[in-house]
Amino acid sequence: MPCNFAPKGEPNRKCQALVSDWQRRINNTGSHGNGALTSLPLLNMGREQVSSTFWYFCSGGGSPFLSARSPTNYPDTVVHRRFASMNTLLLIGQIIGIAPISAVLLFVIAKLVSRHRRSPVEDGSGYAVLITGCDSGFGHQLARCLDQQGFVVFAGCLSPEGAGAQSLVRQSSSNLKILKLDVTSDEDVQQAKRMVQDNLPEKGLWAVVNNAGISDWAEIEWSTFEDFRNMVDVNLFGCIRTSVAFLPLVRAAKGRMVYVSSIFAFFNCLNMGAYSVSKRGLEAFADCLRVEMASFGVKVSIIQPGNFGRATNILRMKTASDIWEKLDDERKQTFNRQYIELASEYFVSSCKAGFKEADVVIDAMMHAVTSAQPKSRYLLVSAMDRFFFQLFPFLPTGLADAVFSLSPMYTKRKEMLYSK
């Protein structure tokens, strides 16, 4: 049979001789012997296949079918090395392909097992929850909901004799207990802890909802250091002070720590500098705590409400005159009276465009307290705003800053600064 793959001349005659020798061995050998072929696939090949395969091997290409001594005296080890290399590559490929699938399956199994083991707290009987900032707003409404679900509720109020606290007493069961709790006071926090410990139900303190907070608006240069200090003392240090005091009780119950933050923790906009500082710090604290508490079975959740000013009355309303009177002469020349009046009007109109009811926030807080699988974060904005606020934290800084230039308010601001 001609050797079609060989070049003409002497190499062709040599190849034909080698092929003939291989064919003779195949015809005369029915078993593996010393000096014969030891590759089963090769014994099953036809004459034309042998010719092609052997020429490819003689040309230096090698063959996965050849694993015996050849008439050309190629060492067995060369072929075996090629087999070993191919097997190693195949094994590595299989591991690379299987590893991601295995990881996903293990994750799903772990989630299913976790859900099976942890059941939601549908009935609060025997459990206690501490809520700060129950005089009004989110805390006030959450206290009533948890009381209706059977929890023992410790409602922390800044003014226990105030209208908000007294309405809670009238509208709730005997399971709701009013505590005097100023989160900026070490004495108040320790006194509240003693009262909680003395009145704990059998299943212990299931959750602490850090809801107490204040809000204000002003550009950074309109604010004093005391403005920043007051904001941080309540919104950040108040939560830390309360959390550290009550964590041992929550840890014993393998319960929940809930923190009411804001979209302004990551959305850095005009007029909310001090508030953003306090809420960004709060989320950093809560994120670190979540990692630490995971080993103890304690879940940590962050609530991120959007514009709920009308639903809570948390926003401090102030006039342009209030701001103007605080400024020194230098700042009055930079931020003229007309611009401050425009900023005040813009802020008030923005607040009026927010949610009228707080139901969506209360539902999220209830889920964080009672669900078997609470979320780490609850972003609570309108359906139209959701995509933007989910995307915003991932935008490059330059692009994120450019977003604000689209606002007509920012354009007017630039035009009005320094003008008389």
Side-chain angles (χ1 to χ4, degrees):
M1 176 178 287
C3 187
N4 297 324
F5 293 89
K8 295 181 180 180
E10 184 65 23
N12 186 47
R13 289 194 296 273
K14 289 183 179 181
C15 180
Q16 288 178 343
L18 293 175
V19 170
S20 298
D21 184 65
W22 278 98
Q23 291 172 341
R24 178 178 58 78
R25 289 169 181 262
I26 293 173
N27 292 333
N28 295 335
T29 305
S31 61
H32 307 296
N34 189 26
L37 291 175
T38 60
S39 174
L40 286 174
L42 195 58
L43 289 174
N44 295 325
M45 293 170 61
R47 293 175 181 269
E48 293 183 4
Q49 290 174 298
V50 170
S51 299
S52 301
T53 303
F54 189 74
W55 169 251
Y56 180 70
F57 181 73
C58 291
S59 301
S63 171
F65 298 109
L66 297 177
S67 61
R69 298 178 191 169
S70 69
T72 55
N73 296 322
Y74 279 103
D76 290 352
T77 54
V78 173
V79 181
H80 284 298
R81 282 198 201 104
R82 295 189 179 186
F83 267 114
S85 298
M86 290 181 63
N87 289 336
T88 302
L89 290 174
L90 287 172
L91 179 61
I92 293 173
Q94 290 173 346
I95 293 174
I96 293 174
I98 292 173
I101 298 174
S102 301
V104 171
L105 289 175
L106 288 173
F107 176 78
V108 171
I109 292 171
K111 283 290 184 182
L112 291 175
V113 171
S114 176
R115 289 188 179 185
H116 178 72
R117 290 181 177 178
R118 298 181 67 91
S119 57
V121 185
E122 297 176 353
D123 181 7
S125 299
Y127 291 101
V129 176
L130 169 68
I131 311 169
T132 65
C134 293
D135 299 84
S136 62
F138 299 146
H140 187 95
Q141 296 182 49
L142 178 64
R144 292 185 58 189
C145 290
L146 290 174
D147 174 65
Q148 293 170 5
Q149 200 158 327
F151 287 90
V152 172
V153 179
F154 295 101
C157 296
L158 185 63
S159 303
E161 304 302 325
Q166 291 305 307
S167 69
L168 272 181
V169 173
R170 290 192 302 270
Q171 299 170 4
S172 306
S173 72
S174 58
N175 282 337
L176 186 142
K177 306 179 187 304
I178 300 294
L179 304 180
K180 181 183 183 305
L181 184 53
D182 176 358
V183 296
T184 66
S185 168
D186 289 326
E187 183 180 352
D188 273 16
V189 171
Q190 292 304 316
Q191 178 63 33
K193 181 179 180 181
R194 286 190 291 269
M195 184 173 178
V196 169
Q197 288 175 316
D198 292 341
N199 294 275
L200 271 182
E202 56 182 312
K203 296 180 182 178
L205 183 62
W206 175 248
V208 172
V209 181
N210 290 274
N211 168 74
I214 60 174
S215 180
D216 197 3
W217 68 276
E219 291 197 17
I220 291 174
E221 287 195 86
W222 304 350
S223 306
T224 65
F225 180 78
E226 286 303 314
D227 293 330
F228 278 87
R229 184 198 297 275
N230 292 337
M231 190 77 68
V232 173
D233 277 349
V234 178
N235 294 354
L236 175 56
F237 294 144
C239 289
I240 295 175
R241 182 180 287 107
T242 305
S243 298
V244 171
F246 287 94
L247 262 176
L249 300 178
V250 176
R251 189 171 61 242
K254 295 185 177 181
R256 309 290 166 79
M257 298 293 293
V258 182
Y259 296 87
V260 179
S261 180
S262 168
I263 59 170
F264 292 110
F266 61 87
F267 183 62
N268 43 291
C269 83
L270 193 66
N271 291 331
M272 300 300 289
Y275 188 70
S276 291
V277 167
S278 67
K279 292 302 185 180
R280 188 169 296 190
L282 174 64
E283 291 205 9
F285 173 78
D287 285 335
C288 293
L289 184 66
R290 184 181 63 253
V291 174
E292 294 179 7
M293 288 295 106
S295 302
F296 299 103
V298 175
K299 302 289 187 179
V300 178
S301 297
I302 298 172
I303 311 294
Q304 296 176 318
N307 188 354
F308 286 85
R310 284 197 299 173
T312 61
N313 295 321
I314 189 176
L315 292 172
R316 179 185 173 189
M317 291 301 175
K318 55 186 177 183
T319 66
S321 296
D322 295 331
I323 299 172
W324 182 256
E325 292 171 1
K326 289 178 58 178
L327 301 183
D328 56 25
D329 293 339
E330 180 183 358
R331 287 179 173 81
K332 285 181 178 179
Q333 292 179 0
T334 304
F335 305 96
N336 61 80
R337 181 69 179 260
Q338 289 75 21
Y339 168 65
I340 292 179
E341 289 177 351
L342 176 66
S344 179
E345 293 172 2
Y346 178 79
F347 184 79
V348 172
S349 64
S350 298
C351 293
K352 289 182 178 179
F355 288 86
K356 295 180 180 179
E357 303 294 334
D359 293 350
V360 63
V361 179
I362 305 306
D363 290 343
M365 297 168 88
M366 289 292 293
H367 188 273
V369 171
T370 63
S371 172
Q373 293 293 323
K375 299 179 181 179
S376 298
R377 274 177 169 77
Y378 295 82
L379 177 61
L380 307 175
V381 294
S382 67
M384 293 181 61
D385 293 338
R386 178 169 296 278
F387 176 76
F388 172 76
F389 283 112
Q390 287 178 331
L391 177 65
F392 186 84
F394 302 100
L395 294 178
T397 302
L399 184 57
D401 290 349
V403 168
F404 298 106
S405 65
L406 301 176
S407 169
M409 176 62 191
Y410 280 76
T411 303
K412 292 180 181 179
R413 178 181 186 272
K414 189 173 183 179
E415 294 172 352
M416 297 177 71
L417 293 179
Y418 294 104
S419 62
K420 297 181 179 180

